[in-house]
């Protein structure tokens, strides 16, 4: 990400989740008892994708290694007496410690080497030990057909120890860059650690990187890891610019751990881009000498490292004080070309090592893409990779200008950018890595964008990147995967991301259905986004809702009946009264929260411009955005090209303290003595008007 978005950011950590666990059973042989001529065999990977007090989510991948089967049943025993409470993509039941999963209508046929995946939620007490033995159609899954290799012990990693085996990931031969980058999918960024601008890797609040962290990231299914490194505070002066031995040794240690885990590993020159490389227009010789000295040392240090180590020339290159696009393109081409020459001439594995070259700002704008194409044409090297970054349509990414939903505009922005890099590079067999992706608002906290809307964004992004053959590397500065408990801070979000790597998931127009606290309850409808799947039904916990009684489906319109909603909201307490799962033929279920609310009530207040808290009884509702205008209809506050202000930068709800804070950034650009009308938009559709007047450093707020 752009350096100025992160220089003051702190990692947000939360305890409570434990590391995901995975057990893969490989070896042995079996024959179907029903047919002496039919070869049989299977492989099962069981992964605990998230866990919390008393509950967990698991995913099961089954591969048929024998002759084709039409209809399957998988059985296993839970070592710790766990119970299945909810499942998708299979019918799963448990009796005592025994569990049984049976195919559903759309995934019963398994060809030779064909695979199927299903998932479930479960309950546990005392321990949640992963099962180690599975049987498909009565045949024990041992990982091969006709072999005699004895089964191994469980490879389930604990939250604090390393797995005992590594996935086999042999790099493709030199020159096959497309295959190598495909094998790097999916990828993860070790953000806000070695790229931190400070004394060491903890400068921005993340803990020291451990081998266990990398083991657990690998267990989540990631095949590549990008390790951004900022070198500016860790080398000496001209002319040698010698890198600190301790810093280089530490980077090499972590790179070694990642390679041992089976990752493809990307290292780069990171925030140096905006700290000193950006002065190249006015100090070309100094910048180029410093840049070349760093890459000369790095190329030597990693000269004989595995070919799965990848170099990236510079992160998000940018220039200050240039004469314009033409000079920017010339300077970046000089950096990329110099980097390429230094690495290739250093010999060893570097002679054919995969090298990543960025566009200016890692932008996917057509002009920036065309500039990088020219560099690739000139270098004519089959082991080069292009990279851009993607943080979504800006108004949606930060929640400004009314960009609260994942709408057609947000989709088109994504497809246009991915299409441009596909057409420029992938169509010519030049691989592309989306080296960072996410939402810019996540740098403050992941609640800047409403949950269902962000889920739709990540579902679509994962699918469309696959369709364009783009490898993606999730930006994570500590806000997603907890680096001490080794669990996902938002398991629902990661489940959607993980699913998007292989399939599509159905979604809906919203993940919220609002029911008024008082008065008559009426039927409520949502639009289903099938995304190529078929709708299978609604479920609450382990209970299926009844089509025709609890809900109806007409085309893509899902309607919850008034009697069903009346039952679901119960006593109609404010907030979420029930969660339903809309199930589809593929992917993960779509959660629908049934929420009771009344229109929010705001209160009069007086306070300082340094942080004005207006009283707010949310009464079950949630704030979507805020408009600010003067009496004459002109826009008030910062970024006055729009009346809709930026969420969490100018205003922020606090549901626990029942306040809405108007931040100093908002009042810094509000005219003194002029009344501002605020219109608060809530997710129920309710709008509430409020007025504030600034007088010096004091603010008066009134309702109505």
């Amino acid at each position: 990400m752009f350096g100025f978005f992160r220089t003051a950011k702190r990692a947000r950590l939360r305890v409570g989740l434990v590391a995901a666990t995975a057990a893969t059973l490989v070896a042995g042989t079996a024959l179907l008892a029903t047919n002496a001529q039919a070869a049989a065999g299977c492989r099962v990977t069981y992964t605990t994708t998230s866990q919390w007090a008393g509950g967990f989510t698991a995913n099961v991948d089954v591969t048929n290694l024998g002759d084709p089967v039409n209809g399957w049943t998988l059985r296993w025993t839970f070592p710790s007496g766990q119970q299945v409470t909810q499942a998708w993509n299979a019918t799963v039941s448990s009796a005592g410690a025994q569990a049984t999963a049976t195919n559903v209508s759309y995934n019963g046929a398994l060809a030779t080497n064909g695979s199927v995946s299903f998932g479930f939620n479960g309950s546990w007490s005392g321990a949640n030990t992963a099962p180690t033995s599975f049987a498909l159609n009565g045949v024990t899954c041992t990982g091969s057909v006709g072999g005699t290799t004895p089964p191994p012990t469980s490879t389930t990693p604990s939250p604090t120890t390393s797995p005992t085996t590594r996935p086999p990931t042999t790099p493709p031969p030199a020159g096959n860059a497309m295959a190598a980058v495909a094998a790097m999918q999916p990828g993860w960024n070790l953000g806000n650690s070695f790229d931190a601008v400070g004394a060491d890797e903890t400068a921005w609040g993340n803990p020291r990187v451990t081998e266990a962290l990398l083991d657990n990231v690998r267990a989540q299914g990631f095949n590549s890891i990008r390790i951004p490194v900022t070198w500016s505070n860790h080398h000496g002066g001209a002319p040698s610019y010698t890198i600190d031995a301790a810093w280089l040794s530490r980077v090499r240690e972590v790179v070694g751990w990642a390679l041992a885990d089976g990752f493809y590993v990307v290292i780069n020159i990171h925030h140096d881009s905006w700290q000193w490389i950006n002065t190249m227009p006015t100090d070309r010789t100094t910048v180029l000498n410093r840049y070349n000295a760093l890459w000369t040392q790095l190329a030597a240090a990693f000269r004989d490292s595995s070919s799965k180590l990848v170099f990236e020339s510079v992160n998000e290159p940018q220039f200050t004080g240039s004469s314009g696009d033409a000079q920017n393109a010339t300077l970046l081409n000089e950096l990329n070309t110099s980097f390429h020459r230094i690495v290739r001439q250093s010999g060893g594995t570097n002679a054919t090592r995969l090298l990543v070259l960025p566009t200016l700002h890692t932008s996917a704008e057509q002009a920036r893409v065309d500039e990088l194409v020219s560099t690739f044409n000139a270098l004519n090297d089959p082991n080069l990779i292009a990279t851009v970054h993607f943080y979504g349509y800006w108004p949606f990414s930060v929640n400004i200008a009314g960009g609260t939903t994942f709408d057609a505009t947000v989709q088109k922005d994504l497809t246009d950018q991915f299409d441009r890099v596909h057409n420029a590079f992938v169509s010519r067999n030049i691989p592309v890595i989306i080296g960072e992706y996410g939402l810019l608002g996540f740098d403050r906290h992941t609640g800047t964008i409403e949950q269902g809307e962000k889920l739709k964004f990540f579902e679509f992004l994962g699918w469309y990147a696959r369709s364009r053959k783009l490898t993606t590397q999730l930006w994570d500065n500590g806000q997603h995967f907890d680096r001490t408990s080794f669990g996902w801070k938002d398991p629902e979000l990661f489940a959607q991301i993980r699913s998007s790597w292989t399939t599509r998931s159905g979604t809906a127009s919203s993940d919220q259905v609002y029911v008024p606290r008082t008065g008559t309850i009426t039927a409520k409808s949502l639009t289903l986004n099938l995304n190529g799947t078929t709708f299978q039904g609604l479920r609450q916990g382990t209970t299926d809702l009844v089509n025709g009684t609890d809900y109806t489906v007409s085309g893509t319109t899902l309607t919850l009946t008034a009697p069903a909603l009346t039952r679901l909201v119960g006593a109609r307490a404010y907030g979420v009264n029930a969660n339903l799962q809309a199930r589809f033929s593929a992917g993960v279920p779509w959660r629908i929260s049934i929420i009771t609310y009344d229109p929010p009530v705001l209160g009069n207040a007086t306070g300082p411009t340094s942080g004005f808290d207006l009283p707010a009884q949310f009464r079950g509702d949630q704030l979507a955005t805020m408009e600010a205008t003067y009496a004459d209809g002109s826009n008030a506050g910062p970024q006055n090209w729009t009346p809709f202000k930026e969420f969490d930068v100018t205003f922020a709800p606090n549901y626990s303290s029942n306040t809405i804070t108007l931040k100093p950034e908002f009042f810094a650009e509000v005219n003194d003595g002029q009344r501002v009308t605020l219109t608060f938009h809530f997710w129920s559709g309710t709008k509430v008007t409020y007025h504030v007047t600034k007088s010096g450093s004091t603010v008066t707020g009134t309702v109505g």
Side-chain angles (χ1 to χ4, degrees), residues 250-394:
R250 175 61 175 155
V251 172
R252 292 184 69 177
E253 178 181 45
V254 174
V255 167
W257 290 342
L259 290 170
D261 267 330
F263 281 113
Y264 280 85
V265 182
V266 180
I267 61 170
N268 69 356
I269 290 179
H270 202 76
H271 288 309
D272 308 72
S273 63
W274 58 267
Q275 288 189 300
W276 55 271
I277 292 175
N278 66 322
T279 65
M280 196 173 176
T282 55
D283 196 11
R284 174 184 170 278
T285 300
T286 300
V287 168
L288 195 59
N289 287 344
R290 187 175 178 183
Y291 177 84
N292 289 349
L294 291 179
W295 270 119
T296 298
Q297 295 172 78
L298 294 174
F302 293 99
R303 177 181 184 274
D304 297 316
S305 295
S306 164
S307 61
K308 294 182 73 172
L309 175 63
V310 179
F311 294 160
E312 177 186 20
S313 63
V314 61
N315 173 72
E316 295 180 351
Q318 53 199 273
F319 301 106
T320 302
S322 76
S323 59
D325 288 349
Q327 186 182 15
N328 290 337
T330 298
L331 294 175
L332 178 56
N333 178 70
E334 188 168 14
L335 290 176
N336 281 333
T337 301
S338 187
F339 158 75
H340 177 267
R341 173 184 53 79
I342 289 168
V343 175
R344 288 290 181 254
Q345 290 180 354
S346 65
T349 310
N350 289 344
T352 56
R353 188 177 303 284
L354 293 171
L355 303 179
V356 178
L357 305 183
T359 60
L360 185 72
H361 299 296
T362 53
S363 164
E365 294 178 359
Q366 189 64 58
R368 308 289 79 81
V369 170
D370 291 343
E371 291 159 0
L372 187 59
V373 166
S374 296
T375 298
F376 273 72
N377 289 341
L379 293 175
N380 192 29
D381 184 333
N383 289 316
L384 298 183
I385 303 166
T387 189
V388 296
H389 293 174
F390 184 73
Y391 285 97
Y393 183 61
W394 182 65

Side-chain angles (χ1 to χ4, degrees), residues 133-177:
S133 180
F134 297 82
L136 181 67
N137 290 352
V139 175
T140 301
C141 294
T142 54
S144 65
V145 178
T148 57
T149 306
T153 57
S154 171
T155 61
T156 303
S158 72
T160 56
T161 59
S162 303
T164 58
T165 61
R166 308 295 185 201
T169 51
T170 303
N176 196 356

Side-chain angles (χ1 to χ4, degrees), residues 7-266:
T7 52
K9 299 297 181 285
R10 307 286 292 180
R12 291 167 292 279
L13 302 177
R14 184 185 68 161
V15 298
L17 294 177
V18 302
T21 60
T24 302
L25 310 178
V26 290
T29 180
L31 294 179
L32 278 173
T34 57
N35 186 347
Q37 301 303 314
C42 46
R43 180 174 61 247
V44 173
T45 300
Y46 177 103
T47 306
T48 302
T49 56
S50 62
Q51 180 174 305
W52 57 94
F56 69 102
T57 298
N59 192 80
V60 182
D61 297 310
V62 184
T63 301
N64 173 37
L65 302 177
D67 289 342
V69 297
N70 190 10
W72 54 265
T73 297
L74 188 75
R75 291 188 171 87
W76 69 92
T77 301
F78 281 118
S80 307
Q82 301 97 317
Q83 293 290 302
V84 175
T85 59
Q86 175 195 5
W88 47 93
N89 294 340
T91 301
V92 184
S93 60
S94 54
Q98 305 298 312
T100 302
T102 304
N103 67 274
V104 289
S105 60
Y106 53 85
N107 62 8
L110 276 178
T112 302
N113 294 321
S115 297
V116 65
S117 297
F118 63 91
F120 61 86
N121 291 330
S123 61
W124 64 281
S125 61
N128 186 23
T129 308
T132 58
S133 180
F134 297 82
L136 181 67
N137 290 352
V139 175
T140 301
C141 294
T142 54
S144 65
V145 178
T148 57
T149 306
T153 57
S154 171
T155 61
T156 303
S158 72
T160 56
T161 59
S162 303
T164 58
T165 61
R166 308 295 185 201
T169 51
T170 303
N176 196 356
M178 284 292 292
V181 172
M184 293 172 70
Q185 171 67 9
W188 181 81
N189 273 269
L190 181 66
N192 282 24
S193 286
F194 291 101
D195 56 315
V197 178
D200 65 10
E201 67 203 81
T202 68
W204 282 351
N206 277 322
R208 278 178 62 86
V209 177
T210 63
E211 192 172 5
L213 169 64
L214 301 188
D215 293 343
N216 280 277
V217 170
R218 185 74 168 108
Q220 308 307 307
F222 292 102
N223 291 322
S224 63
I225 181 170
R226 183 172 179 258
I227 304 178
V229 186
T230 299
W231 303 92
S232 58
N233 291 350
H234 302 286
H235 65 74
S240 60
Y241 301 102
T242 303
I243 298 173
D244 297 343
W247 181 250
L248 180 57
S249 176
R250 175 61 175 155
V251 172
R252 292 184 69 177
E253 178 181 45
V254 174
V255 167
W257 290 342
L259 290 170
D261 267 330
F263 281 113
Y264 280 85
V265 182
V266 180

